[in-house]
Amino acid sequence: YYNSDDLDLGKFKMALKDLGIDYERLRYIHVGGSKGKGTTARIISNYLLSLGKDVGLYTSPHLVDIRERIVVDGKKISKKHFAKEIFEIKNYIDSGGNSLTYFEILTALALKYFLKRKVRYVVLEVGIGGRLDATNIVNPLVSVLAKIEEEHLELLGGRLSKIVDEKLGIMKTAVPLVIAEQSKEVT
């Protein structure tokens, strides 16, 4: 269900506000695309770490442990912090707050954790698509598009041109966009 009826970024922003997650205080590098976006996000995170910066990294999916998705300075979130943050978000939803998707819950958890850890930069990997993705609430310092290919055709419009439109949905006015070399079909 990748559509604007089910994925409402305004509703997600309201939930973050209700949860006291002032995500606009963070500095973001937003990474989208189809292939290589996770690797690209990790490379950017590692580069910033090599410069001595405090960095939050949010990626998906995870391979073994869900906590792999939320990393600060190269270390995944602890079980204790993960459980505490999930419990608080669950309480919000159970008490009548906005219902959230699985990905929105994890995104909210990550943003809350990054704020608590006072990271200097956050590298956010887009989940699926871009335009309607929960990570697309941010106003990044720079947006990055890894290689775009046909993927999730049933969700993203059925053809490459629609996928490109969805991926380009992370572009923001006056924010630099770095684009990996793309196939002739994409350009």
Side-chain angles (χ1 to χ4, degrees), residues 2 33-34 37 127-129 149-159 163 167:
Y2 186 87
S34 303
K37 62 186 173 160
I128 292 177
E149 296 179 344
E150 285 187 348
E151 62 160 350
H152 305 293
L153 290 170
E154 71 286 354
L155 295 174
L156 301 179
R159 57 184 196 275
I163 292 169
K167 302 294 181 181

Short mmCIF file of all heavy atoms in Angstrom, two decimals, residues 2 33-34 37 127-129 149-159 163 167:
data_model
loop_
_atom_site.label_atom_id
_atom_site.label_comp_id
_atom_site.label_asym_id
_atom_site.label_seq_id
_atom_site.Cartn_x
_atom_site.Cartn_y
_atom_site.Cartn_z
N TYR A 2 1.47 1.50 -1.13
CA TYR A 2 2.30 2.69 -1.31
C TYR A 2 1.45 3.72 -2.04
O TYR A 2 1.45 3.80 -3.26
CB TYR A 2 3.57 2.34 -2.11
CG TYR A 2 4.54 3.49 -2.22
CD1 TYR A 2 5.49 3.71 -1.24
CD2 TYR A 2 4.51 4.36 -3.30
CE1 TYR A 2 6.38 4.76 -1.32
CE2 TYR A 2 5.39 5.41 -3.40
CZ TYR A 2 6.32 5.61 -2.41
OH TYR A 2 7.21 6.66 -2.49
N GLY A 33 17.20 5.66 -3.86
CA GLY A 33 17.63 4.89 -5.03
C GLY A 33 17.08 3.48 -4.94
O GLY A 33 16.26 3.15 -4.08
N SER A 34 17.56 2.63 -5.85
CA SER A 34 17.10 1.24 -5.89
C SER A 34 18.19 0.27 -5.49
O SER A 34 17.94 -0.71 -4.80
CB SER A 34 16.66 0.86 -7.31
OG SER A 34 15.66 1.71 -7.77
N LYS A 37 21.86 1.88 -2.20
CA LYS A 37 21.59 3.00 -1.29
C LYS A 37 22.07 2.69 0.13
O LYS A 37 22.55 3.58 0.83
CB LYS A 37 20.13 3.42 -1.32
CG LYS A 37 19.16 2.37 -0.89
CD LYS A 37 17.72 2.82 -1.08
CE LYS A 37 16.82 1.63 -0.78
NZ LYS A 37 15.50 1.94 -0.48
N GLY A 127 13.29 3.96 2.66
CA GLY A 127 12.81 2.58 2.65
C GLY A 127 12.42 2.17 1.23
O GLY A 127 13.24 1.70 0.46
N ILE A 128 11.17 2.39 0.86
CA ILE A 128 10.69 2.08 -0.49
C ILE A 128 10.24 3.38 -1.13
O ILE A 128 9.58 4.21 -0.51
CB ILE A 128 9.51 1.09 -0.44
CG1 ILE A 128 9.99 -0.27 0.04
CG2 ILE A 128 8.84 0.96 -1.81
CD1 ILE A 128 8.88 -1.29 0.19
N GLY A 129 10.58 3.53 -2.39
CA GLY A 129 10.13 4.72 -3.12
C GLY A 129 10.94 5.93 -2.75
O GLY A 129 12.14 5.99 -2.93
N GLU A 149 16.65 1.45 -10.55
CA GLU A 149 16.30 0.33 -11.42
C GLU A 149 14.83 -0.02 -11.23
O GLU A 149 14.18 0.49 -10.32
CB GLU A 149 17.15 -0.91 -11.05
CG GLU A 149 18.63 -0.72 -11.27
CD GLU A 149 19.43 -1.95 -10.88
OE1 GLU A 149 18.89 -2.83 -10.16
OE2 GLU A 149 20.59 -2.05 -11.30
N GLU A 150 14.34 -0.93 -12.08
CA GLU A 150 12.98 -1.42 -11.90
C GLU A 150 12.94 -2.25 -10.63
O GLU A 150 13.70 -3.20 -10.47
CB GLU A 150 12.55 -2.27 -13.09
CG GLU A 150 12.23 -1.45 -14.31
CD GLU A 150 11.64 -2.29 -15.44
OE1 GLU A 150 11.68 -3.53 -15.37
OE2 GLU A 150 11.14 -1.68 -16.39
N GLU A 151 12.11 -1.84 -9.69
CA GLU A 151 11.94 -2.55 -8.42
C GLU A 151 10.55 -2.23 -7.89
O GLU A 151 10.00 -1.19 -8.19
CB GLU A 151 12.99 -2.12 -7.40
CG GLU A 151 12.89 -0.64 -7.06
CD GLU A 151 13.54 -0.25 -5.75
OE1 GLU A 151 13.94 -1.12 -4.97
OE2 GLU A 151 13.64 0.95 -5.51
N HIS A 152 10.02 -3.13 -7.11
CA HIS A 152 8.70 -2.91 -6.48
C HIS A 152 7.70 -2.35 -7.49
O HIS A 152 6.96 -1.40 -7.20
CB HIS A 152 8.82 -1.97 -5.28
CG HIS A 152 9.80 -2.41 -4.26
ND1 HIS A 152 9.62 -3.55 -3.50
CD2 HIS A 152 10.98 -1.88 -3.86
CE1 HIS A 152 10.64 -3.69 -2.67
NE2 HIS A 152 11.48 -2.70 -2.87
N LEU A 153 7.70 -2.94 -8.69
CA LEU A 153 6.83 -2.43 -9.76
C LEU A 153 5.38 -2.33 -9.34
O LEU A 153 4.69 -1.35 -9.67
CB LEU A 153 6.95 -3.32 -11.01
CG LEU A 153 8.29 -3.24 -11.75
CD1 LEU A 153 8.38 -4.34 -12.79
CD2 LEU A 153 8.45 -1.88 -12.39
N GLU A 154 4.89 -3.31 -8.60
CA GLU A 154 3.48 -3.32 -8.18
C GLU A 154 3.16 -2.18 -7.22
O GLU A 154 2.03 -1.73 -7.14
CB GLU A 154 3.11 -4.67 -7.57
CG GLU A 154 3.72 -4.97 -6.19
CD GLU A 154 5.22 -5.32 -6.19
OE1 GLU A 154 5.83 -5.45 -7.26
OE2 GLU A 154 5.78 -5.43 -5.09
N LEU A 155 4.17 -1.69 -6.51
CA LEU A 155 3.95 -0.60 -5.55
C LEU A 155 4.22 0.78 -6.15
O LEU A 155 3.55 1.74 -5.79
CB LEU A 155 4.87 -0.78 -4.33
CG LEU A 155 4.64 -2.00 -3.45
CD1 LEU A 155 5.72 -2.09 -2.38
CD2 LEU A 155 3.26 -1.94 -2.82
N LEU A 156 5.22 0.85 -7.01
CA LEU A 156 5.72 2.15 -7.44
C LEU A 156 5.25 2.59 -8.82
O LEU A 156 5.80 3.53 -9.39
CB LEU A 156 7.25 2.17 -7.37
CG LEU A 156 7.84 1.90 -6.00
CD1 LEU A 156 9.37 1.91 -6.06
CD2 LEU A 156 7.34 2.91 -4.98
N GLY A 157 4.26 1.95 -9.38
CA GLY A 157 3.68 2.48 -10.61
C GLY A 157 3.79 1.61 -11.83
O GLY A 157 3.28 1.99 -12.89
N GLY A 158 4.47 0.49 -11.76
CA GLY A 158 4.46 -0.46 -12.87
C GLY A 158 5.46 -0.25 -13.98
O GLY A 158 5.60 -1.11 -14.84
N ARG A 159 6.12 0.89 -14.00
CA ARG A 159 7.13 1.10 -15.06
C ARG A 159 8.26 1.99 -14.54
O ARG A 159 8.10 2.72 -13.55
CB ARG A 159 6.51 1.65 -16.32
CG ARG A 159 5.77 2.93 -16.20
CD ARG A 159 5.10 3.30 -17.55
NE ARG A 159 4.72 4.67 -17.56
CZ ARG A 159 3.57 5.13 -17.07
NH1 ARG A 159 2.70 4.32 -16.54
NH2 ARG A 159 3.31 6.42 -17.12
N ILE A 163 8.85 4.82 -11.30
CA ILE A 163 9.81 4.57 -10.22
C ILE A 163 10.76 5.76 -10.10
O ILE A 163 11.03 6.24 -8.99
CB ILE A 163 10.58 3.26 -10.47
CG1 ILE A 163 9.63 2.07 -10.35
CG2 ILE A 163 11.76 3.12 -9.51
CD1 ILE A 163 10.19 0.76 -10.83
N LYS A 167 11.36 8.09 -6.81
CA LYS A 167 12.70 8.27 -6.23
C LYS A 167 13.10 9.74 -6.20
O LYS A 167 13.67 10.22 -5.23
CB LYS A 167 13.76 7.46 -7.00
CG LYS A 167 13.51 5.98 -7.08
CD LYS A 167 13.59 5.31 -5.75
CE LYS A 167 13.37 3.82 -5.88
NZ LYS A 167 13.43 3.12 -4.61
#
